[in-house]
Amino acid sequence: MQTSRIKRLAGIWGCLGFLGLWANTANAGVFWLFDPKGVMADTDLYYMLVDVLTMGAIVGTTALLVIWFMWRYHKGKNRGSYHPEWSHSSFLEVIVWGVPIIAVGFLAYFAVRGTFELNPYDPTILTRVAKPAEKPVKVDVIATDWQWLFVYPQYHMAVANQLVLPEHRPVFFRLTSTAVTSGFFIPQLVGMIDVMPGMRTKNALESSHIGEYQGISSDYAGAGTSWMTFKTHIVGQEDFAGWVQKVQSSPTTMTEAQFNAFAMPYINVHHRVVYFSQVPSGLFDHVIMEVMHGKTWPVPPMMTENMVAYIQKQSAEHRD
Amino acid sequence: MLVQLPGGWNPLLGRLALDQIPYDNPILAPLFVAVVVGTILLFGLITYYRKWGYLWKEWLTTVDHKKLGVMYIIIGLVMLFRGFIDGLMIRTQQVWANGPHSSGVFGALHGYLTPFHFGQVYSAHGLIMILLAATPLLVGFMNIIVPIQIGARDMAYPYLNALGLWITAAAAVLIMISLFVGDFAHNGWFGYAPIFELQYSPGVGVDYWIWTLQLTALGTTLGGINLLVTIIKMRAPGMTWFRLPIFVWTSLSANIIALTSFPALQVALGLVAADRYLGSHFFTAGFGGNLMLYTNLFWIWGHPEVYFVILPAFGMMSEIFPTFSEKPLFGYVTMVAASFAIAGVSWMVWLHHFFTMGAGPQVNSFFSVATMLVGIPTGVKVFNWAFTMYRGRITYSAAMLWAIGALFMLLVGGMTGMMLAIPAINYMVHNSVFVIAHFHSMLLVIVYAIFGSVIFWFPKVFGFRLDEYWAKVMFWLFTAGSALVFVPMYMLGFMGMTRRLDYVFNPAWHPYLEVMEVGIAVYCLSVLAFVVLLYVSIRDRVKNRAGADAWGTARSLEWLAHSPVPFYNFAVTPHVNARDELAWRREHGMDALEPERYVDIHMPSNTGMALYIGALTFVLGFGLTWRIWWLSLLSLAAIILLMIIRSFRGDDGYIITGAELERMEKEALRNRAQADGKYVSGGRGQVAGTAIAYGRNGASMGGDPFNSSRDGI
Ligand code: HEM
Ligand SMILES: [Cu+2]
């Protein structure tokens, strides 16, 4: 459904022969935003095309107009006639105000509709329009300085720095952070949402495309931000069940005390992934409450100043 | 001490200690040596040529709005260069530190900057470019041009004007010092709660950031008050509201924005300082703090600020287009309305900087639509410039090229701004380099307008034109650089590359990063071209000498004054008869009249007070940054004391007698005759038909312009 809306628009693009060229060539894989793999990202792209088409028509025309004026009224070339006093035309004034007003009115409709469709707390495009029949997956996302912990409360397990999700099933995220503000972003699946300490935000996604997608920490959170990436795997439903089994049989578990150690500043330069077969059921709420009561995970000055020394210290403490 | 400080503190030096000087840093140490050598050389040269007296009398203690404006512009250009070097460092780090196999030097895992250092570089880059390059450059132009355009003798408060300049200079020095003493903030130019809290940023960097911003906010606010009063009260007789040049209108709207929004920034920073110095919890995550409050407060100022810098640029373009199209501006009234519409809407859109913070769809919708409303007056402006060229006679001088470049940049920036304004799109590109490309397009509008203005108004201030050839070379190099840097950046935005990465994890992005690096090299060439431009122009200054109307087709009042403008601007205040006064006078043969008689005029005297207070604000900022309490208190007390002394002593100004004035005018007219050969010495007189050339006794619309200097704050 969403995809067909996009196809129609992409067809127009093709005619215009612009961006469509990009999106339809083998290059598309590189342009993550033009190669969405889930309902949410799909819808984002749809609105982008609507906006770019509308604005592009106006901006493009204006640019051509300006270029034409530049050519025609070039002094000494005598192409257009010179009217030294002409500076007002009620007709043109109506046009110059009218065109932007109509364009903005038109786009405003789409802007509001899109905002509701993609509302991260209740994306109606997912919950009312696409309405996947399968049982939802819940994931509690806890960002630390500088790792991601994905808790699967339905399966009483957690995974650090890797997100594995089944195809066709809607996924609902709750997100919080321990230390500072960060951002959760999987370009091909879902847009950004802030992840803030002492607070809970939400997001959701659904994908029917098996594959591996890059997850990014999209907001600057300190020295380790650039390494705070994670891979998202959309897998078949059976594979997902198998993977859950694998995590649940991992020897590593996590308690609240262990979580506090895990959340100590850590730069994940080796992209370490850890499976935790057991997590306390209320970990997510517990983290929020602790932060609200003033818990912090301070950053040692040396880590910010000399990262190499810090990494050495980090490995000396066997934390990587 | 109300807060727990990591590291030492002592009563004498505060947190300052020898190990805070990065003498072992392979990048900063050589730079430091270069700066010291350069400074010594400069001071030596000044001493050798015995120029200290000249410097002191003519520049450091001046209250002349044109000289203050020139100094603003010099600060702006120097900081623009510093900011450019930061940009070069950012681009170099990203192209180097790309992919897991990239090498690393100087203690960095990848590239040559450690994450914390990289954070400081881009934070300083953003802060400098917006507040210490764009803002002083624009304030400088407003300072120089607005009073002449409205036929005033000086600003309403000449002393306040000097104070604003020296406080801005203090801010510039403070951020430069942070290079060599301690470090700078790493939390981006706009700061982030709670990362700027003491637990997550234990060094002095954030403190430097707070006090630099506070000083620029103070300086800009003082300048804003001054410009508003000047425009409202100091217009020459006949300069009614609807005869104001558009640049004056945009300065007015811009400064209304500044005056009403800067307080929000100062409060926000005050609260950050309270958190860091007093241990309060305004923006902490715990203990009832609200970190989202900071983001709101900052952008309540931050968004209006971006319009504060773009509006004067729009005004500049509106002066350049008509001059080189030989036609009045199309839709003057519309242009004024659009400027105020932009200003008005700019207060209601701040939330578009954080659509992703998780507000409900109703709130996001409201701010989305409000943001798009800005597109309407912006679009109107573009159309008006286009129709100014329509049916005109366009000369492609260098100034015009820069203005046209600005117009095209605005099309790109406006287009992408309208994309960002829609939350559904914004979720995908917020915090990506797409946003960076958007606002650089917009800031490039400003840079283009500024370079256009430098060329356009240079002859007014210095009496000779800049070299056209080199100005065009610079234009094309700069444009090529912009295209090479920002087209790939937009593309990377569509690829999902987020901003502020000191290590770029995706090797597929490498070609684009490389093209951008080439673009930076081309930018370097344009900087060189600018230097050559200045050199060549100064060398050929006699050949390029300009008459009052340097372009022959200029339209507004400032072109009636001599070039260079004498320190008293107009010997006798002109009477304004039309919207494009000079064009009107040219038509009526009144553009080279000499007044019948000269009367005494009253000018404000020089004062060193502004410089002293400015220097003390720097000391205060430095003392607070390092928590040297005695120094902070002492400098604060000294500032208050100087203010009290100044308020008692006042400034009676001095009188230039009519005879003296006549002599200076004769001299200026002789020069002018040589320059443009246009001056007709027979054309003496005050009245031609029903038109009036000069106001009686130099009275202005809003009262005696010279008295106000006496009660200058
Ligand atoms: C048509 C008018 C404009 C619209 C609709 C618009 C829209 C936006 C939006 C929605 C954002 C937020 C992007 C994000 O962070 O997700 C933004 C960012 C920004 N805009 Fe604009 N904008 C416009 C004009 C301007 C102008 C005239 C300037 C001035 C130079 C400007 C400078 C900036 C800056 C500096 C930022 C980003 C600040 C940062 O995050 O560091 N914009 N713009
Ligand atoms: Cu904004």
Side-chain angles (χ1 to χ4, degrees):
Chain A
M1 145 298 335
Q2 200 66 38
T3 322
S4 70
R5 271 207 292 194
I6 291 178
K7 287 236 172 78
R8 266 207 314 279
L9 278 167
I12 307 174
W13 268 122
C15 301
L16 290 177
F18 251 131
L19 222 76
L21 259 182
W22 278 350
N24 294 326
T25 54
N27 238 347
V30 184
F31 287 84
W32 285 336
L33 266 52
F34 300 147
D35 189 21
K37 296 290 184 195
V39 172
M40 301 290 279
D42 237 26
T43 313
D44 284 307
L45 178 61
Y46 166 73
Y47 284 104
M48 186 181 299
L49 293 180
V50 170
D51 183 274
V52 171
L53 271 179
T54 313
M55 289 304 298
I58 299 174
V59 169
T61 315
T62 312
L64 291 178
L65 202 68
V66 171
I67 292 169
W68 183 56
F69 290 167
M70 284 171 61
W71 173 81
R72 187 170 163 85
Y73 297 102
H74 192 160
K75 186 174 182 175
K77 294 282 177 2
N78 292 325
R79 293 188 189 110
S81 61
Y82 173 51
H83 297 251
E85 291 305 320
W86 187 81
S87 66
H88 178 80
S89 149
S90 300
F91 171 72
L92 283 177
E93 298 264 333
V94 171
I95 300 279
V96 301
W97 284 91
V99 169
I101 287 176
I102 292 170
V104 167
F106 175 75
L107 288 176
Y109 165 73
F110 284 93
V112 174
R113 204 176 82 176
T115 309
F116 280 85
E117 283 185 357
L118 290 162
N119 168 20
Y121 294 94
D122 176 21
T124 57
I125 193 75
L126 187 64
T127 55
R128 315 272 154 80
V129 183
K131 271 198 278 192
E134 314 278 333
K135 187 164 159 273
V137 181
K138 291 186 179 157
V139 180
D140 288 345
V141 180
I142 306 175
T144 68
D145 271 355
W146 294 279
Q147 297 185 78
W148 295 97
L149 185 69
F150 300 108
V151 182
Y152 292 72
Q154 288 152 315
Y155 307 100
H156 312 290
M157 61 180 213
V159 179
N161 305 318
Q162 186 190 46
L163 187 57
V164 177
L165 299 168
E167 60 170 341
H168 296 310
R169 284 175 67 180
V171 184
F172 292 102
F173 298 99
R174 299 195 299 166
L175 310 96
T176 191
S177 164
T178 53
V180 303
T181 304
S182 178
F184 177 81
F185 181 34
I186 311 171
Q188 287 176 283
L189 296 178
V190 64
M192 303 174 194
I193 184 75
D194 286 12
V195 185
M196 295 174 283
M199 247 166 297
R200 189 256 309 111
T201 47
K202 291 186 175 179
N203 217 344
L205 64 81
E206 193 266 349
S207 172
S208 44
H209 298 269
I210 291 178
E212 184 193 271
Y213 307 109
Q214 183 68 50
I216 304 172
S217 164
S218 62
D219 223 345
Y220 181 71
T225 314
S226 298
W227 288 269
M228 201 178 159
T229 55
F230 60 93
K231 291 274 191 271
T232 307
H233 301 266
I234 303 289
V235 298
Q237 307 228 359
E238 273 99 81
D239 290 344
F240 182 70
W243 177 78
V244 167
Q245 294 252 299
K246 191 171 133 205
V247 176
Q248 281 175 339
S249 58
S250 152
T252 328
T253 61
M254 178 172 273
T255 62
E256 277 164 11
Q258 278 166 329
F259 176 80
N260 281 340
F262 171 82
M264 296 281 283
Y266 175 84
I267 299 177
N268 194 17
V269 287
H270 302 300
H271 301 288
R272 142 188 110 148
V273 172
V274 193
Y275 294 162
F276 301 99
S277 52
Q278 288 285 326
V279 279
S281 57
L283 182 65
F284 184 82
D285 297 320
H286 171 79
V287 168
I288 294 184
M289 281 319 280
E290 277 213 312
V291 172
M292 284 175 75
H293 288 123
K295 182 158 181 59
T296 56
W297 282 267
V299 175
M302 86 167 286
M303 129 174 296
T304 52
E305 259 125 69
N306 187 343
M307 200 174 117
V308 170
Y310 187 83
I311 300 278
Q312 279 161 3
K313 181 165 165 284
Q314 198 170 268
S315 32
E317 290 166 3
H318 303 294
R319 291 181 53 220
D320 74 344
Chain B
M1 215 36 75
L2 292 158
V3 291
Q4 196 72 41
L5 284 178
W9 181 88
N10 71 66
L12 189 62
L13 289 175
R15 303 184 79 181
L16 197 55
L18 213 54
D19 65 355
Q20 292 289 353
I21 315 248
Y23 47 79
D24 54 350
N25 184 307
I27 299 164
L28 290 175
L31 184 64
F32 181 67
V33 174
V35 169
V36 170
V37 171
T39 313
I40 293 174
L41 215 66
L42 187 70
F43 278 43
L45 280 177
I46 297 174
T47 314
Y48 181 79
Y49 288 106
R50 297 173 193 281
K51 287 287 183 196
W52 283 112
Y54 164 80
L55 255 188
W56 180 257
K57 274 212 288 294
E58 295 293 323
W59 295 94
L60 300 181
T61 61
T62 188
V63 293
D64 179 341
H65 70 101
K66 297 169 290 295
K67 286 187 179 157
L68 292 172
V70 169
M71 286 191 280
Y72 263 119
I73 291 172
I74 292 173
I75 293 177
L77 287 176
V78 170
M79 296 313 279
L80 188 67
F81 183 68
R82 151 88 208 262
F84 169 68
I85 298 296
D86 287 335
L88 185 153
M89 290 174 75
I90 296 169
R91 292 265 54 82
T92 308
Q93 168 71 12
Q94 286 198 333
V95 70
W96 184 340
N98 180 211
H101 304 297
S102 53
S103 61
V105 296
F106 301 160
L109 224 49
H110 300 280
Y112 69 107
L113 294 172
T114 58
F116 192 63
H117 194 170
F118 183 74
Q120 295 178 49
V121 174
Y122 67 65
S123 304
H125 171 78
L127 182 89
I128 286 175
M129 284 307 204
I130 293 184
L131 282 152
L132 287 164
T135 305
L137 283 165
L138 294 165
V139 171
F141 273 106
M142 292 194 266
N143 239 304
I144 297 175
I145 301 304
V146 167
I148 319 180
Q149 276 195 332
I150 61 173
R153 188 88 62 216
D154 203 315
M155 295 279 262
Y157 308 118
Y159 162 68
L160 189 67
N161 200 9
L163 194 58
L165 170 82
W166 292 115
I167 292 175
T168 306
V173 175
L174 194 60
I175 199 170
M176 293 305 267
I177 290 279
S178 78
L179 272 178
F180 307 121
V181 187
D183 45 42
F184 194 68
H186 63 128
N187 50 212
W189 72 280
F190 53 76
Y192 245 121
I195 198 170
F196 55 41
E197 298 286 351
L198 215 46
Q199 297 90 352
Y200 301 114
S201 298
V204 294
V206 176
D207 303 321
Y208 266 122
W209 172 79
I210 293 174
W211 303 117
T212 306
L213 268 173
Q214 285 285 28
L215 286 182
T216 54
L218 186 62
T220 313
T221 308
L222 296 183
I225 295 171
N226 210 345
L227 273 157
L228 288 181
V229 178
T230 306
I231 296 172
I232 292 169
K233 299 291 283 183
M234 310 267 296
R235 282 167 290 132
M239 182 59 89
T240 57
W241 284 109
F242 280 94
R243 286 181 186 164
L244 285 184
I246 289 289
F247 183 63
V248 178
W249 273 117
T250 54
S251 302
L252 185 72
S253 55
N255 281 296
I256 293 174
I257 299 181
L259 195 61
T260 48
S261 65
F262 266 99
L265 173 69
Q266 295 188 293
V267 168
L269 291 169
L271 299 181
V272 179
D275 278 6
R276 286 181 64 89
Y277 285 78
L278 308 175
S280 61
H281 289 278
F282 288 107
F283 304 132
T284 55
F287 297 126
N290 188 339
L291 48 99
M292 299 188 292
L293 180 63
Y294 171 79
T295 312
N296 274 280
L297 278 176
F298 184 90
W299 288 113
I300 283 176
W301 163 78
H303 184 83
E305 160 69 16
V306 306
Y307 282 93
F308 168 66
V309 289
I310 200 91
L311 278 169
F314 287 169
M316 294 166 162
M317 293 162 72
S318 303
E319 301 292 328
I320 296 174
F321 277 118
T323 299
F324 296 104
S325 303
E326 302 184 22
K327 236 170 108 269
L329 185 72
F330 178 84
Y332 172 92
V333 179
T334 301
M335 211 61 159
V336 175
S339 301
F340 279 79
I342 290 177
V345 176
S346 78
W347 284 298
M348 330 189 297
V349 301
W350 75 89
L351 191 131
H352 67 215
H353 291 274
F354 45 95
F355 279 136
T356 62
M357 204 158 78
Q362 294 85 355
V363 173
N364 276 359
S365 295
F366 172 84
F367 281 97
S368 163
V369 175
T371 302
M372 288 198 285
L373 289 182
V374 181
I376 298 173
T378 311
V380 168
K381 289 201 167 224
V382 173
F383 285 130
N384 280 357
W385 291 319
F387 286 115
T388 302
M389 291 195 262
Y390 178 62
R391 297 182 162 176
R393 217 157 53 177
I394 307 170
T395 316
Y396 293 102
S397 67
M400 185 67 172
L401 288 184
W402 284 101
I404 291 173
L407 195 157
F408 280 100
M409 281 293 163
L410 183 61
L411 287 178
V412 178
M415 163 105 198
T416 52
M418 290 295 280
M419 293 169 70
L420 290 168
I422 293 181
I425 307 173
N426 186 285
Y427 295 154
M428 277 292 164
V429 285
H430 168 73
N431 269 331
S432 78
V433 294
F434 184 84
V435 169
I436 313 289
H438 154 69
F439 70 75
H440 278 86
S441 301
M442 282 302 192
L443 290 161
L444 281 172
V445 174
I446 300 171
V447 176
Y448 273 78
I450 285 174
F451 280 117
S453 301
V454 167
I455 295 161
F456 187 56
W457 278 308
F458 191 90
K460 184 74 335 192
V461 178
F462 294 103
F464 59 95
R465 276 181 295 270
L466 288 174
D467 187 82
E468 279 285 310
Y469 174 77
W470 281 100
K472 286 182 183 173
V473 170
M474 181 191 171
F475 168 82
W476 288 113
L477 286 172
F478 194 89
T479 304
S482 303
L484 287 170
V485 172
F486 293 106
V487 171
M489 198 181 280
Y490 276 120
M491 295 167 78
L492 283 171
F494 290 126
M495 296 178 195
M497 177 170 160
T498 49
R499 68 196 284 191
R500 301 193 165 139
L501 294 175
D502 47 71
Y503 160 64
V504 184
F505 54 82
N506 192 347
W509 296 334
H510 200 73
Y512 301 88
L513 294 168
E514 270 176 345
V515 174
M516 291 204 271
E517 189 71 8
V518 173
I520 289 286
V522 178
Y523 266 142
C524 287
L525 292 180
S526 84
V527 174
L528 272 183
F530 183 59
V531 175
V532 176
L533 168 66
L534 288 181
Y535 169 76
V536 170
S537 308
I538 294 174
R539 190 192 62 195
D540 299 344
R541 62 186 174 280
V542 178
K543 198 177 83 201
N544 292 334
R545 206 153 72 194
D549 173 2
W551 307 105
T553 54
R555 312 187 64 84
S556 44
L557 190 60
E558 77 270 28
W559 301 104
L560 194 64
H562 308 307
S563 307
V565 189
F567 61 97
Y568 46 80
N569 291 0
F570 297 95
V572 175
T573 306
H575 188 105
V576 178
N577 300 282
R579 188 173 285 162
D580 286 345
E581 179 66 10
L582 183 73
W584 184 90
R585 287 190 181 212
R586 198 162 40 225
E587 220 163 275
H588 293 75
M590 283 170 60
D591 56 334
L593 289 184
E594 206 185 320
E596 213 157 53
R597 69 196 172 87
Y598 294 93
V599 293
D600 299 354
I601 58 176
H602 179 204
M603 297 295 295
S605 336
N606 283 6
T607 169
M609 202 60 101
L611 178 63
Y612 303 143
I613 294 184
L616 284 168
T617 58
F618 164 75
V619 177
L620 178 62
F622 189 78
L624 284 169
T625 301
W626 291 95
R627 302 179 195 232
I628 312 174
W629 306 129
W630 64 268
L631 186 65
S632 314
L633 278 176
L634 204 67
S635 47
L636 186 63
I639 291 170
I640 294 172
L641 190 72
L642 286 182
M643 275 170 19
I644 293 173
I645 292 176
R646 163 82 193 181
S647 67
F648 276 106
R649 217 173 46 200
D651 171 19
D652 290 332
Y654 66 98
I655 302 284
I656 311 175
T657 63
E660 238 178 296
L661 201 58
E662 182 152 13
R663 190 186 51 73
M664 288 189 284
E665 278 294 289
K666 285 270 147 59
E667 170 82 29
L669 284 171
R670 251 198 313 282
N671 287 339
R672 176 171 168 172
Q674 284 171 0
D676 58 10
K678 204 169 179 191
Y679 166 66
V680 219
S681 67
R684 238 181 133 103
Q686 251 193 330
V687 181
T690 52
I692 315 168
Y694 292 101
R696 221 155 279 118
N697 290 341
S700 78
M701 288 277 285
D704 180 354
F706 326 125
N707 276 341
S708 52
S709 64
R710 204 176 301 148
D711 39 54
I713 294 177

